[in-house]
Amino acid sequence: MKASNGNKHTLADSGYTAWLSYPVLPQGNAYNQYVKWCGAVKVAEENDTVQAALQEWQRGIESMLGIKVSSKPDGLCIAIGTFQGGNELISGVFAEDTLAKVGPEGFAIRSSEENDCIAVGASSPAGVLYGVFHLLRLIGSLQSIEGLDEVVNPVNGLRMINHWDNFDGSVERGYSGRSFLYEDNRFTRDLERIRDYARLMSSAGINAIAINNVNVHALETLFISKYLPDVSRIADVFRLYGIKLFLSVNFAGPMHEGEVGTADPLDPEVRKWWQSKAAEIYAAIPDFGGFVVKADSENRPGPFTYGRDHADGANMLAEALEPFGGIVIWRCFVYNCKQDWRDRKTDRARAAYDHFKPLDGKFNDNVILQIKNGPMDFQVREPVSPLFGALERTNQVIEFQIAQEYTGQQRHVCYLVPQWKEIMEFNTYAKGEASPVKHIVDGSLWGNRYSGIAAVSNVGNDKNWTGHLLAQANLYGYGRLAWNPELTAEQIASEWISLTFGTDPVVSGVISRILLDSWEIYESYTAPLGVGWMINPEHHYGPNVDGYEYSQWGTYHYADHRGIGVDRTVKTGTGYSAQYLGSNAEHYDSLEECPDELLLFFHHVPYTHILHSGKTVIQHIYDAHFEGAERAAELLSMWTSLKDKVAEGLYLQVENRLKEQAGHAKEWRDQINTYFYRKSGIEDNSERVIY
């Protein structure tokens, strides 16, 4: 899949090159500025990662500017390298106080007329690579590169992608084809595609990837033994681009491999087994990142079997990895999927807090708790998990889902960066008035040793990586937001559009509007007012009002002829609202103060309840679903205006997906509205047809 000169345009038109397409830039002042500086490059290091940065620079500049980059500067040039790498232009441009500001993965860029160069310097080869991608991003979006003088460090230490790929080649919650890592219980031979993937991830700022599903199957248990040489080959590719490889492991591994008859984390033989495995892994992969673990949830094995808790299980693994600098990422998605939901005091939303709040401070220093952004399961709308703010003495990362499991499965466009931004800005009140989630997950609020962001991947072996071309914006946007949570959703969308489609302002304006409106549109024709789960069970695509996974215990939303919603208040409900801190607990518990968009998550109300918007609940349901379907059709109309402005291969991909979305939105509209019309018996005020 390597993009050679002969097939560059073919790959770009398929979407394969994504935001590293390097579209040709228009003639003009910006173009002339770039040609002035970028015709030559000075690199003094043979380090593989620095050389990869050089190759990326040459590829990008030659494609965008149509010029050949000389490696023998005679006049103005770009200088690339580490501060200690022997490039006299780098050492001549940056002062000592600048060097002191650059972190392990950060970089400095300075335009120096005195030295006839724009210098990209860093303390590590990975930082050099990030700096080169940054400069290419500035050029690709027509920003000035004269007068640059900045130090850029990533805000979050861990910026991670979790693959849910299985060894047989399937992908759990995969909506972009099959795995490009595995096929028929063997590792892929296409390391070139893995390298291209690593380039894409590195360019967006990703520094860690777990390559297998958290629901570890029997053969995947052998990744830490029989298949370790194959894992090592992928790690070699990732290393080139500053990415550490992680593995999801089976907590019952000692039993599955038949060497120990138990997985009790306090058993000496179990501890010894994991210590031996850790030594074997690090002998093969010296920079191995560590383990990702899902335990005691959805029938996965874990420490509960032996009367132990999550801290016992995580710490046992952490002790095995600690001598090598490895970490354990322990997922907090833990709940009893066999609970009887007919008991209205039973509440899955409470589970993560109830399990992990009592264990705060009991985890080893190289354990990180991975907490889903909400208390349920990546719904189109749900509150922020109350665990953020509740854990003062425990490393933690937030988990997002780039894969659109409940948000259209990459068949509908749903740009998720605005949702993630909203979550990151949420004020937990954990330390008074200014305690947003973003400062918990970056480690600054509690001074954590480890912190950051993880997300479930949305890629597969489809030619364009993500199935829906516009879903690439979520993958790119996640990486950029993890690097710098202060970026706006608008900025990120603008970057991705320029780097993928070019700099035509008409194209940028249309695609930006499609992306920025899409989350609101998708929410409006699916689950209303935060209620969640009106979707087909198992595969999670398409409307099904009573389709909650465990509907054998009754409907999730408790809708009847009188009203709808889940009572999570303290006085009459599950008490979940009390898991929040400060005024959040009060607002959510109060029917009068609860925000409309989360009303049905926290309260059971009659259909005639008046929202803050002035509408009744039932009228909101009708209006939102009619308007959502209309706006979904408008997305297609907007896209068709670009027919002659976007490469045909890219245009047709998006057109086909938007046609499906427009039709499917009507199906959502009709099924949801009909259900609630028949359930409530209340007419639509606008007298639209509801069957």
Side-chain angles (χ1 to χ4, degrees):
M1 301 301 296
K2 188 174 182 180
S4 65
N5 290 334
N7 65 2
K8 173 181 177 289
H9 293 294
T10 300
L11 292 177
D13 287 354
S14 72
Y16 179 80
T17 50
W19 56 87
L20 295 182
S21 298
Y22 299 122
V24 176
L25 296 178
Q27 299 286 327
N29 292 335
Y31 175 89
N32 294 335
Q33 180 189 124
Y34 304 148
V35 170
K36 166 187 167 184
W37 286 99
C38 301
V41 61
K42 168 93 172 167
V43 176
E45 294 163 84
E46 295 300 322
N47 175 274
D48 288 343
T49 299
V50 174
Q51 286 297 308
L54 171 61
Q55 292 168 18
E56 201 66 46
W57 177 256
Q58 292 170 328
R59 183 197 310 239
I61 292 303
E62 291 173 9
S63 177
M64 290 189 287
L65 304 182
I67 62 174
K68 188 73 175 175
V69 178
S70 171
S71 58
K72 297 180 180 179
D74 182 17
L76 298 180
C77 71
I78 305 296
I80 297 170
T82 61
F83 299 132
Q84 67 278 12
N87 189 331
E88 69 277 6
L89 290 177
I90 298 291
S91 57
V93 166
F94 297 112
E96 286 296 324
D97 62 334
T98 298
L99 271 59
K101 298 175 184 175
V102 179
E105 295 181 292
F107 56 87
I109 297 183
R110 185 165 183 264
S111 303
S112 174
E113 296 278 359
E114 180 182 351
N115 295 88
D116 289 338
C117 76
I118 296 176
V120 180
S123 57
S124 69
V128 174
L129 186 63
Y130 293 134
V132 165
F133 280 127
H134 178 77
L135 189 53
L136 287 168
R137 184 163 50 242
L138 295 178
I139 294 171
S141 52
L142 295 181
Q143 298 184 53
S144 175
I145 60 172
E146 293 189 336
L148 290 173
D149 189 5
E150 57 182 336
V151 172
V152 180
N153 291 302
V155 171
N156 290 290
L158 190 71
R159 306 177 301 280
M160 187 175 198
I161 294 284
N162 290 169
H163 277 261
W164 285 0
D165 295 41
N166 301 314
F167 201 33
D168 63 4
S170 63
V171 180
E172 184 174 339
R173 309 309 179 194
Y175 313 112
S176 312
R178 291 176 65 77
S179 174
F180 60 84
L181 296 167
Y182 320 110
E183 182 180 358
D184 299 328
N185 295 324
R186 65 176 177 81
F187 281 76
T188 183
R189 298 184 180 91
D190 188 2
L191 291 181
E192 195 62 45
R193 176 152 188 156
I194 292 178
R195 177 170 174 147
D196 285 339
Y197 176 61
R199 287 176 55 232
L200 286 169
M201 295 302 94
S202 182
S203 72
I206 299 301
N207 68 352
I209 297 177
I211 64 170
N212 63 310
N213 193 354
V214 292
N215 293 314
V216 183
H217 304 96
L219 286 176
E220 291 139 25
T221 299
L222 302 178
F223 280 14
I224 58 176
S225 53
K226 177 181 178 180
Y227 296 108
L228 190 54
D230 296 294
V231 175
S232 179
R233 280 190 284 274
I234 295 177
D236 291 342
V237 178
F238 284 174
R239 184 179 304 112
L240 186 66
Y241 288 93
I243 298 169
K244 284 190 175 184
L245 183 145
F246 284 70
L247 287 173
S248 297
V249 294
N250 186 340
F251 189 81
M255 298 173 68
H256 276 269
E257 293 211 31
E259 297 178 24
V260 183
T262 179
D264 183 349
L266 300 190
D267 185 284
E269 291 302 310
V270 172
R271 302 174 87 87
K272 182 178 178 181
W273 188 89
W274 282 107
Q275 290 163 7
S276 175
K277 287 300 175 189
E280 292 174 18
I281 294 169
Y282 280 94
I285 310 171
D287 60 347
F288 178 68
F291 298 146
V292 179
V293 186
K294 177 180 178 180
D296 284 312
S297 183
E298 298 182 325
N299 303 309
R300 301 304 304 162
F304 287 3
T305 301
Y306 309 97
R308 317 303 185 191
D309 61 29
H310 290 287
D312 293 327
N315 292 343
M316 178 269 295
L317 295 172
E319 289 169 7
L321 296 175
E322 177 70 23
F324 308 98
I327 59 178
V328 172
I329 301 173
W330 192 272
R331 297 180 83 239
C332 294
F333 184 57
V334 176
Y335 70 101
N336 181 1
C337 62
K338 297 178 181 179
Q339 288 174 312
D340 186 342
W341 301 99
R342 290 170 296 189
D343 178 358
R344 296 202 178 193
K345 293 294 184 180
T346 295
D347 191 357
R348 171 173 168 178
R350 293 185 56 101
Y353 185 102
D354 287 346
H355 278 293
F356 288 94
K357 171 60 176 173
L359 299 176
D360 188 24
K362 296 184 178 181
F363 292 92
N364 283 17
D365 206 24
N366 63 325
V367 173
I368 309 175
L369 296 187
Q370 182 165 306
I371 307 167
K372 285 191 175 184
N373 61 260
M376 301 302 281
D377 196 7
F378 303 127
Q379 298 298 293
V380 67
R381 178 77 67 172
E382 60 179 298
V384 174
S385 171
L387 262 185
F388 295 112
L391 301 177
E392 301 180 18
R393 296 171 293 154
T394 304
N395 300 317
Q396 53 202 285
V397 298
I398 192 169
E399 180 182 359
F400 292 123
Q401 190 180 46
I402 312 170
Q404 295 171 227
E405 180 178 355
Y406 294 101
T407 51
Q409 298 194 357
Q410 287 139 249
R411 293 159 74 175
H412 297 216
V413 59
C414 188
Y415 180 52
L416 293 170
V417 175
Q419 182 194 59
W420 300 334
K421 281 285 295 181
E422 187 175 293
I423 292 164
M424 294 287 275
E425 296 295 336
F426 178 78
N427 191 1
T428 66
Y429 297 104
K431 259 191 172 181
E433 287 302 308
S435 305
V437 169
K438 65 184 179 183
H439 292 326
I440 293 173
V441 301
D442 70 16
S444 62
L445 191 71
W446 304 119
N448 302 109
R449 178 184 177 189
Y450 293 108
S451 57
I453 305 183
V456 181
S457 170
N458 69 340
V459 298
N461 69 355
D462 280 0
K463 183 64 71 71
N464 69 6
W465 298 98
T466 57
H468 197 314
L469 183 69
L470 299 187
Q472 288 183 2
N474 286 329
L475 184 59
Y476 175 82
Y478 164 72
R480 293 290 287 135
L481 193 65
W483 180 280
N484 180 9
E486 300 306 317
L487 292 171
T488 68
E490 292 81 3
Q491 286 175 307
I492 292 171
S494 179
E495 284 182 6
W496 177 76
I497 293 165
S498 294
L499 300 175
T500 305
F501 294 93
T503 56
D504 184 329
V506 174
V507 173
S508 181
V510 170
I511 299 177
S512 180
R513 184 179 164 198
I514 289 173
L515 291 176
L516 293 169
D517 289 350
S518 60
W519 175 37
E520 180 183 280
I521 292 171
Y522 185 85
E523 180 181 16
S524 67
Y525 63 75
T526 54
L529 304 172
V531 73
W533 268 298
M534 291 187 174
I535 204 158
N536 280 310
E538 302 302 333
H539 61 75
H540 300 162
Y541 186 73
N544 186 329
V545 183
D546 292 330
Y548 184 53
E549 220 77 76
Y550 309 109
S551 57
Q552 69 268 30
W553 302 127
T555 62
Y556 166 74
H557 48 71
Y558 300 119
D560 56 24
H561 67 283
R562 293 183 297 271
I564 181 177
V566 184
D567 185 353
R568 292 189 163 100
T569 64
V570 173
K571 187 175 181 179
T572 59
T574 69
Y576 167 79
S577 62
Q579 291 185 343
Y580 290 89
L581 299 171
S583 61
N584 287 329
E586 298 167 11
H587 291 325
Y588 289 149
D589 198 65
S590 166
L591 180 60
E592 292 73 27
E593 296 181 23
C594 186
D596 285 350
E597 65 270 18
L598 291 173
L599 177 70
L600 301 185
F601 190 94
F602 284 98
H603 298 275
H604 186 86
V605 298
Y607 294 110
T608 54
H609 174 80
I610 305 295
L611 301 170
H612 294 121
S613 67
K615 294 182 181 182
T616 62
V617 167
I618 190 64
Q619 194 59 44
H620 172 90
I621 292 173
Y622 295 153
D623 288 348
H625 286 81
F626 276 112
E627 292 165 9
E630 290 172 6
R631 294 180 72 191
E634 289 170 3
L635 294 177
L636 177 60
S637 299
M638 291 165 61
W639 181 256
T640 57
S641 71
L642 302 180
K643 185 173 178 59
D644 298 322
K645 294 181 177 293
V646 172
E648 183 179 19
L650 303 182
Y651 174 83
L652 290 175
Q653 289 182 47
V654 177
E655 182 185 55
N656 290 335
R657 296 281 173 156
L658 291 179
K659 284 180 179 178
E660 178 182 359
Q661 180 173 357
H664 203 212
K666 293 178 182 178
E667 182 183 347
W668 272 97
R669 175 198 67 194
D670 293 343
Q671 288 205 30
I672 301 295
N673 281 345
T674 296
Y675 178 98
F676 285 107
Y677 172 60
R678 294 180 178 179
K679 185 76 75 171
S680 69
I682 299 174
E683 298 285 346
D684 170 28
N685 286 343
S686 298
E687 299 182 346
R688 290 164 293 202
V689 176
I690 302 176
Y691 297 100

